[in-house]
Structure formats: C-alpha cells, structure tokens
Amino acid sequence: MNNSIKIAKKWMNEADAVLITASNGFSISEGLNLFANDQKLKEVLGELQDKYHFQNLLSVFGFKFPNELEQWRAYARIIEFYSINYESSDLMQNLKRMIDKRPYFVWTSNVDHHFDLAGLENNLEVEGNWLEGVCSQDKDHEVVDLKNILHQIYTKDQIGQLTESDIPKCSECGSSLKLNLPGDFFQMNQKKVTKFSDFLQKYQDKNLLVLELGIGPRNEMIKAPSMQLVAGNGKSHFITINKGELYIPDVIAERSIGFSTSIDTAFQELLTGKNLGGQIQGPAKPKPKPTPEQQKKEDETIKLFYPSYMVDRSIRPGELTMYLTVDSKHPSHFHLLQEGQPWMYSLGNSAIAHCFTKDGQYYQVKLGLDKTKGQVHGFYFDAGTFIAFEDAEDNGAGFSQISAGLASNGDTRIMIPKVDKLIEAFPKKKKLINRLSIPD
C-alpha cells in the first residue's frame, strides 16, 4: 500500500501535465451536496423550504415555481451561500499544491464555478455555470455574468425589498434570463472549449496524468473519454479517488491507482507519501500481451456477438485516440473507413453519423447519452463504410465532440468518395450527399 502511494506521488511529480476531472464527489467534499436533505437545506433556503418542501438542492433547479420572483429568490439564496461567498477550501488549496507549476486543465461537470473562483482558471464546465445567465428566447444572445445581479437579488430579498423589476432580463431583447445550465438555451464557453482542445492536442501523447476526483463508475460524460485518453497513450497515468466505488479498466490497470477514501485523505497521502489508512488499488502487474493469433481469435469472438455495435471498443492496447469536434456550420465530410473503427460520444450535443455501406445500405447513428431518444454512447463502424458526422443541435451546447479509436499501425490516408459515384449508388440521398461531400 505504501508503495502504491509512492508510485502515485512519483507519477504526479514526473507528469508533463495534469488533467483534473471532477464531478459531484468533489463538490460534496467541499460541503456542497446537491442530493442531501438535511439541516443545511433549511439553513440556505429558509422559509422557502417550509413553503415548497424541496427534496434537495438539485430539485430546486427543476421545480415549477408559481412565479419568476420566487424562482430567482431561491436561486439567489443557494448561489450566494455556495458561490458568491465561496472561499477556497483546504481541499482546493491542496489540489493547487499538488499541481504546483505544471500545465493543467480541469474538466468538470460541477456548476458551482469553484475551480475558477479558487484560481484554477484553465477549466471546462461541461454542464454550465450557475453564475451565468442566458436569454430564454434566443440562444444566440450573449451570456450574462450574474454574480452581481444575484447578489443584489439576495440582498433585497433579505430586507424585503425584492420586486418583479429585479428579475434579470436579456439586454438584447428584454426576455427573462435563465441560469446557464443544460437545456434548450445552454451555451458552452467556446473559448474554453478551444483551450481544452489545444491542451489535449499538446499533451495527449506525452507523460499526462489524469487525476479523477469524485466521479462515479457510471459517468459516461467525463470518465469514459478520459480513461480512453489514457488507454491511447502508453506514457500516461490514471489516478482515481472515489470513496466506496472504483472503476479501472483492465487495459489501463497497470498504469492506474485508485484511492477508495475521502478526497482529503487521498490528497494528504499524495502530498506526504504516507499511508493514512485509505484503501488503495493498483497499479496492477503487467499482463503478457496477446499473440497475434490470440488477438485475432478474440476479435472474431467479439464479432459473433457484436457484429456492429460495441461500447468502449477503443479502450484497447495499441490503439490511438482521435477527438473530432463538429458544429452545425462545419460538419465533417464523407470519407471511407479503411478499417473498422469505434466511435464514442465525449461531450456537447449528440452527434449524427451518416453511413453508407459497401453493400448498398444507408443508416444513421446518433451518438449521445440519452437512450430514450435512441442515442448510443459508442458504436463500431465496419470497414468499407463511407461516414460523415454533424452536430445534432439538441441541447444547446453548440458543438458535438466525439472520439475514434485508430489502429496505431493503420493506414493514415483519408479516402474521399467521388460525389457522382456516391449519388449514383444512393440516388434517394442526393441532397444529403451533396451537403456532406467535398465537391469533385
């Protein structure tokens, strides 16, 4: 156990860069529990809790209030308590000590804006930020900084002077604002998306450490693609901290260490190199690599059960990972898959994959997380398929990010079909083909 702590500390010290991934477990460790029904709920919401009987903080944001004034009164009380009055926690200070002066990026689904408020400004908040507002009628209108507005609402609420004139309005059209959280008008910070993409491009094949904080094993938005990133880079390492539930895929187990303890205890162990009683898993002993014959047999067996569909197919030794981002104005163009490829949803809107197969079939796959809308998280596309991707524009993110597994010894050429030949084979899809093809 002590040896695992020393190895993890060594990985941290020798990393070229650190990718920090964080979800609810980190917020809970800082004292913000969106799921708790406790005395703090009453402390934050006051008489509103007696009036509406909220189950927890999370339920407030989906609650149908009788009017907007009550809604913003509740929002302001929560955000004043947890974000406007936020002071960097010991946990956050220890995280900054561990990063030291290394290049870093934070990839989080938390909406409390704590990383930014603590000075960790290289971050991507993939599910929004409750200190921002967006127009309720037009998602092309600018995002509004609500910090001062929310504080004014809170102050007036406390002295009984809050009126309907204090409800935040869009400066461009006068419509009511909504918090910038997932929904029809959610707006992802595109500048941060670009910075995050640049960070991944720069360090995805270097000695990158992924430090995962409080993310459950079923998290597909951040956990799956970050593990995929580690799987595609043999120089990278993975440290996960999640009390009670650890998940480390076998293919990265020899480069992974898990701390099933509180984040605070794990941080103290990483900073001091001393065992403080936490449960630690890994790194696993290296397993012998399968022979080409064993690998072929494994692939053939998989194909019997999953002729086309496959989840997490790209978390495999010897495969590189490519990230593709598309938006409504810049879809990808049709190209030929010379080898079978797994594609997985990463973040943003769902993505539509248009496919033309070598046996004359057309079909489409929607890569995303909402199974009720027919979306799948991962899909394996067979060799000989012409494929193009476009953003589905279904949750207001403004883009779709997906990743592909690429064989490290594969042909790197991109094969573009002739438009007329593709139309000749699929005349009913002429309009689609013209839109998503590079002109001859």
Side-chain angles (χ1 to χ4, degrees):
M1 187 179 292
N2 279 332
N3 192 47
S4 295
I5 296 171
K6 290 177 181 177
I7 291 171
K9 195 171 188 301
K10 182 174 182 289
W11 289 351
M12 177 72 73
N13 292 338
E14 294 180 353
D16 292 326
V18 181
L19 173 60
I20 301 152
T21 62
S23 190
N24 294 313
F26 188 83
S27 290
I28 292 170
S29 297
E30 279 203 299
L32 168 53
N33 191 337
L34 292 172
F35 308 100
N37 189 335
D38 54 16
Q39 184 57 36
K40 187 175 279 189
L41 192 64
K42 168 70 174 176
E43 180 185 348
V44 174
L45 292 168
E47 82 284 356
L48 293 178
Q49 176 60 19
D50 296 328
K51 187 175 182 179
Y52 296 112
H53 307 290
F54 299 113
Q55 292 300 307
N56 48 41
L57 287 173
L58 187 62
S59 66
V60 176
F61 296 96
F63 187 75
K64 292 185 178 180
F65 288 89
N67 56 67
E68 286 186 284
L69 199 63
E70 287 284 89
Q71 180 184 57
W72 283 99
R73 178 179 281 122
Y75 290 172
R77 292 184 186 186
I78 295 171
I79 297 168
E80 178 81 16
F81 188 93
Y82 286 108
S83 292
I84 295 175
N85 291 335
Y86 176 74
E87 294 182 4
S88 185
S89 63
D90 290 342
L91 198 68
M92 196 70 81
Q93 292 303 316
N94 283 334
L95 176 59
K96 292 166 75 173
R97 289 189 188 99
M98 288 192 296
I99 298 170
D100 197 17
K101 297 179 181 179
R102 297 176 190 84
Y104 75 91
F105 216 96
V106 180
W107 185 7
T108 181
S109 57
N110 296 342
V111 300
D112 49 44
H113 206 49
H114 285 185
F115 289 103
D116 213 282
L117 294 169
L120 294 175
E121 296 178 355
N122 294 336
N123 62 72
L124 180 63
E125 297 161 319
V126 295
E127 293 197 321
N129 171 1
W130 64 18
L131 284 169
E132 294 177 343
V134 291
C135 178
S136 61
Q137 298 301 317
D138 194 329
K139 68 179 181 181
D140 291 328
H141 289 176
E142 289 188 2
V143 175
V144 179
D145 184 343
L146 289 180
K147 185 175 181 181
N148 292 334
I149 295 172
L150 285 164
H151 180 62
Q152 289 173 8
I153 292 173
Y154 175 79
T155 302
K156 288 186 176 183
D157 176 32
Q158 295 303 299
I159 60 177
Q161 295 182 1
L162 188 66
T163 68
E164 289 189 2
S165 63
D166 296 307
I167 295 172
K169 304 290 184 182
C170 173
S171 61
E172 297 185 53
C173 69
S175 299
S176 299
L177 293 181
K178 292 182 177 292
L179 297 180
N180 192 21
L181 302 177
D184 291 341
F185 295 94
F186 171 56
Q187 293 190 44
M188 186 79 75
N189 188 316
Q190 294 300 316
K191 290 182 179 179
K192 289 192 173 185
V193 169
T194 299
K195 287 182 68 175
F196 182 48
S197 179
D198 291 344
F199 177 85
L200 290 178
Q201 290 281 348
K202 185 173 182 179
Y203 294 107
Q204 66 178 347
D205 59 351
K206 292 182 171 60
N207 185 359
L208 177 69
L209 174 69
V210 175
L211 178 62
E212 182 184 85
L213 307 175
I215 301 183
R218 287 163 294 281
N219 182 295
E220 299 287 357
M221 179 168 286
I222 295 177
K223 186 178 184 72
S226 64
M227 291 189 304
Q228 193 176 348
L229 184 65
V230 175
N233 173 12
K235 300 177 186 176
S236 61
H237 296 96
F238 180 65
I239 296 175
T240 176
I241 306 170
N242 193 56
K243 189 174 183 179
E245 284 189 295
L246 295 176
Y247 173 58
I248 300 173
D250 289 344
V251 293
I252 62 172
E254 64 189 74
R255 292 183 283 115
S256 302
I257 293 175
F259 290 78
S260 180
T261 184
S262 71
I263 297 176
D264 180 61
T265 297
F267 278 8
Q268 293 295 333
E269 291 179 332
L270 286 167
L271 284 165
T272 64
K274 297 179 180 179
N275 175 22
L276 300 178
Q279 297 182 18
I280 304 174
Q281 172 185 325
K285 293 181 180 179
K287 294 182 178 180
K289 293 184 178 181
T291 64
E293 291 76 16
Q294 290 172 328
Q295 188 67 61
K296 182 179 180 181
K297 185 176 181 180
E298 176 190 333
D299 289 342
E300 289 174 350
T301 302
I302 290 174
K303 279 285 189 178
L304 289 174
F305 295 96
Y306 302 101
S308 59
Y309 178 67
M310 208 166 293
V311 176
D312 288 352
R313 175 62 170 79
S314 58
I315 302 182
R316 296 173 62 84
E319 272 191 355
L320 303 176
T321 302
M322 177 185 74
Y323 287 85
L324 172 69
T325 301
V326 294
D327 60 47
S328 56
K329 295 180 181 178
H330 304 93
S332 77
H333 294 295
F334 278 114
H335 62 283
L336 177 68
L337 299 184
Q338 298 178 75
E339 300 172 334
Q341 280 184 235
W343 289 80
M344 294 180 66
Y345 172 83
S346 294
L347 57 95
N349 296 320
S350 60
I352 300 172
H354 298 279
C355 309
F356 294 95
T357 67
K358 58 187 176 183
D359 59 355
Q361 300 297 314
Y362 166 80
Y363 66 97
Q364 64 174 250
V365 176
K366 187 172 284 190
L367 293 168
L369 299 179
D370 192 342
K371 293 182 179 179
T372 65
K373 296 180 180 179
Q375 298 170 9
V376 295
H377 178 241
F379 203 92
Y380 183 84
F381 297 97
D382 290 315
T385 302
F386 284 107
I387 188 169
F389 294 92
E390 62 178 336
D391 175 28
E393 297 184 274
D394 57 357
N395 66 22
F399 74 99
S400 304
Q401 181 171 297
I402 49 180
S403 56
L406 304 173
S408 56
N409 60 348
D411 191 333
T412 59
R413 292 178 299 167
I414 298 175
M415 308 294 285
I416 306 298
K418 288 186 175 293
V419 180
D420 58 343
K421 295 297 183 184
L422 201 54
I423 293 174
E424 184 180 324
F426 300 90
K428 293 182 179 180
K429 297 295 179 181
K430 180 178 179 178
K431 186 176 180 180
L432 174 67
I433 293 168
N434 279 326
R435 182 164 61 84
L436 296 176
S437 292
I438 296 176
D440 291 339

